[in-house]
Amino acid sequence: MERRSFLFSSAAALGAGGPAGPPTLLKPKPLQAGDTVALIAPSTYVSSPDALQLAKRTVEYFGLKWKLGRNLGKRTGYLGGTVEERVADLHAAFTDPEVRAVFCTRGGYGAAMLLDRIDFALIRSHTKIFTGFSDITALHLGLHQQSGMVTFHGPTVLADFSDYTLEHFRRALFDARPLGVLRNPAEARPIRPKHPLRTLQGGRGTGALTGEI
């Protein structure tokens, strides 16, 4: 399947409420201190020694152990290696029995190139936490639609972690309980709010939260 067709079919399935006979949702187990996570770069390259050191330190901050993807640190143009290398790291991270979660180091561009090369049956048989944002959204959609795995739209390892982000990142990945009500961070200057809210249509609704704009 061509990448353009894959993305179109996934988007169409979302608009129609999901594909016919969608796979049962699979929820990965929460993390515990001391667990090992894999660091991969499915989009933009991460080759700077300083950036790689920061990625390791970020994982250690959460009491976790890191394991670098075999091709992490490679660069092909602005990408973190060839399509084959990036897919290989994704597959290896999910099949590695030591690894409990897969953390993307950076977004940028390039994740959609992997979609027609991913073995989704393999992913489904090795359910693990998968997190990242921005360009990584293409992988979230693909993994959800094709394997039924619940993924976590959250910061990449090299993203800025505010206090608000730290709190919710920990709650989402280390605690199996529902997150409950989610609210924006408190505004430091209410006269010029950074997170203004506007209701487009009043009422209440229920549904699955999927994707990103």
Side-chain angles (χ1 to χ4, degrees):
M1 179 185 292
E2 293 184 356
R3 300 181 191 101
R4 183 185 299 271
S5 299
F6 183 99
L7 289 171
F8 179 79
S9 63
S10 294
L14 283 172
T24 303
L25 284 180
L26 298 176
K27 298 181 180 180
K29 295 180 180 179
L31 289 171
Q32 297 180 8
D35 282 346
T36 298
V37 303
L39 300 180
I40 64 172
S43 297
T44 302
Y45 69 89
V46 181
S47 58
S48 163
D50 290 337
L52 292 172
Q53 186 61 36
L54 177 59
K56 296 174 184 177
R57 188 164 66 245
T58 302
V59 171
E60 292 170 352
Y61 177 87
F62 291 101
L64 301 168
K65 301 174 183 177
W66 47 264
K67 192 168 189 177
L68 303 184
R70 180 177 181 180
N71 297 299
L72 182 64
K74 290 187 177 181
R75 178 177 180 179
T76 301
Y78 49 82
L79 301 171
T82 65
V83 170
E84 292 75 17
E85 288 170 334
R86 288 178 285 142
V87 170
D89 276 1
L90 179 69
H91 286 164
F94 273 96
T95 55
D96 188 333
E98 283 189 278
V99 169
R100 291 291 306 277
V102 183
F103 288 2
C104 296
T105 52
R106 180 173 286 167
Y109 180 77
M113 299 175 180
L114 312 186
L115 292 174
D116 58 358
R117 309 287 183 90
I118 296 174
D119 184 341
F120 291 103
L122 178 148
I123 301 295
R124 181 174 174 79
S125 63
H126 297 84
T127 303
K128 297 177 181 181
I129 287 173
F130 177 83
T131 184
F133 81 116
S134 188
D135 183 59
I136 306 302
T137 302
L139 298 181
H140 285 298
L141 291 172
L143 292 172
H144 176 70
Q145 289 293 328
Q146 302 298 319
S147 72
M149 189 177 72
V150 173
T151 62
F152 296 81
H153 186 272
T156 57
V157 181
L158 294 179
D160 292 332
F161 280 81
S162 65
D163 291 341
Y164 176 88
T165 303
L166 282 172
E167 175 190 352
H168 289 80
F169 189 80
R170 286 188 186 276
R171 286 175 58 196
L173 301 190
F174 288 81
D175 195 333
R177 293 174 296 179
L179 288 174
V181 178
L182 298 179
R183 295 184 173 88
N184 280 336
E187 295 289 358
R189 300 184 67 243
I191 192 171
R192 292 292 184 270
K194 291 184 177 180
H195 310 283
L197 297 175
R198 180 166 63 91
T199 300
L200 300 179
Q201 177 65 49
R204 299 173 65 91
T206 61
L209 182 63
T210 306
E212 173 201 22
I213 297 175

